[in-house]
Amino acid sequence: MRPSPAPSAIFDMRLARSAPDLWPMLQRLYGERADYAEFCAQLEQTLRASWKARPADLKRLDLARDLEPDWFQRAGMVGYVFYIDRFAGDLPGVHERLDYLTDLGVSYVHLMPCLMPRPGDSDGGYSVMDYRRINPEYGSMADLTRLAGNLRARGMSLCVDLVLNHTAREHDWARRAAAGEAEFQDMYLMFDDETRPRAYGQTLVDIFPDTAPGSFTHYPEFGKWVWTTFNEHQWDLNWSNPRVFLEIVRIMLNLANKGVDVLRLDAVAFMWKRIGTTCQGQPEVHVLLRALRACTRIAASAVIHLEEAIVGPAEMLTYFGRGEHDGREGNLAYHNSLMVQYWGALATRDTRLMTHVLRTHFPPALTNATYATYIRCHDDIGWAVTDEDARDLGFSGRAHRAFLSDFYDGSYPTSFARGALLQFNPETGDKRISGSFASLAGLEAGLQSGDPQAAGLAIDRILMGHALIASFGGIPLIYMGDEIGLLNDDSYLDDPHHAADSRWIHRPAMDWDRAARAGADPTTPEGRILAGTRAILHRRRAVDRLHGGHPTEILDSGNAAIFACARRAPSGSILCLFNFTESWQQISGSWLRYHGLTEMRDLLSDMMVALHDDMLLLPPYGRVWMS
Ligand code: GLC
C-alpha cells in the first residue's frame, strides 16, 4: 500500500490545480512592477501558511466539497439574510434563533456586515475600520467561530460580507495615509490637486447623488483629494497596488479559517478605475475576481464567493465569468434582473418584458455557478430596465422607469404599494425605491384601509414572489421579516445617522411577537405568509429537480398575465407558472403537454391538478410547479 500524500503535497496539488487562474491574472495586473516576483513569493507564502493553519474539520469540509462541487446548487439550499442586532441582538443571540430558521426551511444564513465598523454612521456596517475584529456590539471573533461551528453541525452554511472596494477612513491604513505615510497613501487613490479627480469625474455616475454627491473628497488637513465613490467616510482602495491584493487575501483567508462558507464580496464593480469610463465593471475587475477566487480555492476550497454587482442584465453575467473567465469567477451573484422584472410585471400586470429580458440576456445554465435569487434585500430597488429592452416591447424605457417609481412610492393613483424614494438623479431622471416586501406588495395599504380582500391579494403577491425565487434556479434568499410580512418602519427618521437614507425604512427590528402570533395562528395575514413561505421552502427542498445546475428555459406562455419557465432536469421537467394579476387566468392543456408535461401534478402543493375543459386555471397571483 502506498502511503497517503504528505499534507504539503495536497497543498501543492491545489496550487497546481488553480495556477492557471492565478498567476497569469496577476501577471496581467502587476507583472510590469519591479516588485512583482517578491509579491508572488509573498502571496504563495500567505496561501501556504493559511492552508497550514486551517482547522482540521474545515480541511475535511474542503475535501467533502471537492467531492460534491455542486453543494451550493442543490435544492436543499435556502438562504436567510439579516442584520445581527435587528434579528437577534448579538451573535450569541443568533444561536437561540436557529430553530426558528430551521423550521422555516433555511440552510444558509447571511449575516449582514459584522466586522468592526467606524463609529457613527457606517453605511449599515459597510464602512469597516478593522477586518480582523467583530463589531463589539455583536460579540467577538470567537463568537463568530462558534456560530460557524454550530451552523456546520446543523448542516447550515454561513455567509458574511467582505467590503473590497473601500475601507472606513478610520481604518489603520487610512489613518496612516492621512498622517502622510507614502506606503499607505499608495493603498488608496489620492491626488495632490483636483486635475485628475475632475477628469475622472466627467464620466462617473453618482451613487448617492442626494447625500454624497461626487466621487472625491478634499482633505485640506493633509492636502489630498481622496477617491470616495460611496460616502465621504468610505475610501476606495487602490487595487492596482499588489499590496492591497495581498492584504485582502490575508483577510479573506482569516475569515475562511473561522468557518465562513460564503464570502459576499461587496460592490465589486467599482474595484478598478479607468479614465474616460464609469469606472464600473472594467475588464481588470474580472481578472482580479478570478485571481481572488483562485486564492480561496487553493487555501480554503470549501469557501465560495458571492459577488455583489447590482447592474443591468448585460453586465451582470460577467460576474460569473464570461469568455475566457467562464465558470472561473463568482460562484454566486445576485439576479438583480429577476427582482426588477418581478416588481415591473406586478405593477403592469404584464410579463412580456420580464420574459423578453430573461430570455434574451440570460443563458439557460451557468458554469460552476448559480444565482442568488431574491425579491427584497437591505438595499433600494433601482429600475435596471434598458431603453433597448423597453423599445423591443414598443415602449419608452424612461417612461417605464418613471412609472415604476411612481407606482412603488405609492403616488400613482391606483397603486397598491407604499414605498419611499431614495436618491433622485435629475440627469437620468432615475428615482430608486425603498420599502419592505409587504408594504410594496400592498399589505400596508390593505391593512390600513381595513380591506381584507386587498390584504389577501398582497399576501398572494408575496407568496408568488417566494415561489418564483424558490424555483427559478439558484439559492433563494429570504430577507429578514419578509416571511411574516413586516411593514415599513418610519422610526429611522428619528435617528440622525439614518434619517437621510430611506433604505432604513425596510431594515426594522425583527418583530418576534408578530412571529409568535404568525406561528400560532395561520389565519392572520402574518400567519398566512409564514405558513405559505414555509410550505414553499420545504417543497423546494424536497424537489431535487430544482437543483441550480439544471437549465432554466424561459417560455412564452401566450398569456401576458402569466410568466412561465421550465426547469429542465434529466429526470424530467418542471413547468413553473406565475399569475401576475389579480384576476383568474387560464393556460391550455395542449400548451402544457407541448412543453413536456405528462402528468398534471403540482409539485408546489404536491397535489394533482384537474383541468377544466382542457384548461388549467390559475387564481389571482396563483403559482404552480407542474411536473
Ligand atoms: C453595497 C451594499 C450597500 C452599500 C454599498 C457600499 O452595495 O449592499 O448597502 O451601501 O455596497 O458599501
Side-chain angles (χ1 to χ4, degrees), residues 123 126 166 208 230 234 264 266-267 308 378-379 503:
D123 185 20
Y126 286 103
H166 44 263
F208 297 128
F230 289 87
Q234 291 164 305
R264 176 191 181 277
D266 181 69
E308 191 244 0
H378 68 292
D379 280 329
R503 292 178 298 173

Side-chain angles (χ1 to χ4, degrees), residues 37-51:
E38 198 198 321
F39 157 69
C40 291
Q42 281 184 343
L43 180 64
E44 187 173 328
Q45 207 182 10
T46 293
L47 298 176
R48 201 176 283 278
S50 296
W51 188 78

Side-chain angles (χ1 to χ4, degrees), residues 57-58 91-99 102 107 109 142-158 258-259 261:
D57 56 340
L58 296 178
L91 281 170
V94 175
H95 293 265
E96 267 123 72
R97 300 299 182 188
L98 292 181
D99 286 343
T102 303
S107 57
V109 297
D143 291 325
L144 184 79
T145 310
R146 216 168 298 127
L147 177 62
N150 198 346
L151 289 169
R152 203 155 49 248
R154 287 170 168 253
M156 295 168 90
S157 312
L158 173 63
K258 305 294 182 220
D261 300 278

Side-chain angles (χ1 to χ4, degrees), residues 83 112-113 122-127 161 163 165-166 207-208 230-231 234 264 266-268 270 308 310 334 377-380 501 503 507:
Y83 287 93
M112 295 295 294
S122 62
D123 185 20
Y126 286 103
S127 204
D161 274 274
V163 186
N165 178 65
H166 44 263
I207 306 301
F208 297 128
F230 289 87
N231 289 293
Q234 291 164 305
R264 176 191 181 277
D266 181 69
V268 290
F270 300 88
E308 191 244 0
I310 305 303
Y334 291 97
C377 70
H378 68 292
D379 280 329
D380 49 291
D501 184 347
R503 292 178 298 173
R507 298 172 181 177

Side-chain angles (χ1 to χ4, degrees), residues 70-111:
D70 67 335
W71 65 274
F72 62 97
Q73 297 172 311
R74 297 191 173 176
M77 291 298 281
V78 170
Y80 191 83
V81 184
F82 59 87
Y83 287 93
I84 296 165
D85 52 344
R86 281 156 191 255
F87 181 65
D90 55 15
L91 281 170
V94 175
H95 293 265
E96 267 123 72
R97 300 299 182 188
L98 292 181
D99 286 343
Y100 173 81
L101 294 179
T102 303
D103 183 52
L104 186 59
V106 168
S107 57
Y108 162 123
V109 297
H110 171 189
L111 306 181

Side-chain angles (χ1 to χ4, degrees), residues 328-368:
R328 293 164 180 276
E329 206 182 310
N331 309 83
L332 289 166
Y334 291 97
H335 203 325
N336 178 50
S337 282
L338 181 68
M339 181 276 286
V340 166
Q341 294 302 331
Y342 164 84
W343 290 110
L346 212 54
T348 55
R349 280 79 165 171
D350 185 332
T351 67
R352 285 173 304 157
L353 182 61
M354 179 174 191
T355 301
H356 175 73
V357 167
L358 295 175
R359 184 156 50 194
T360 319
H361 298 289
F362 297 91
L366 302 166
T367 315
N368 298 330

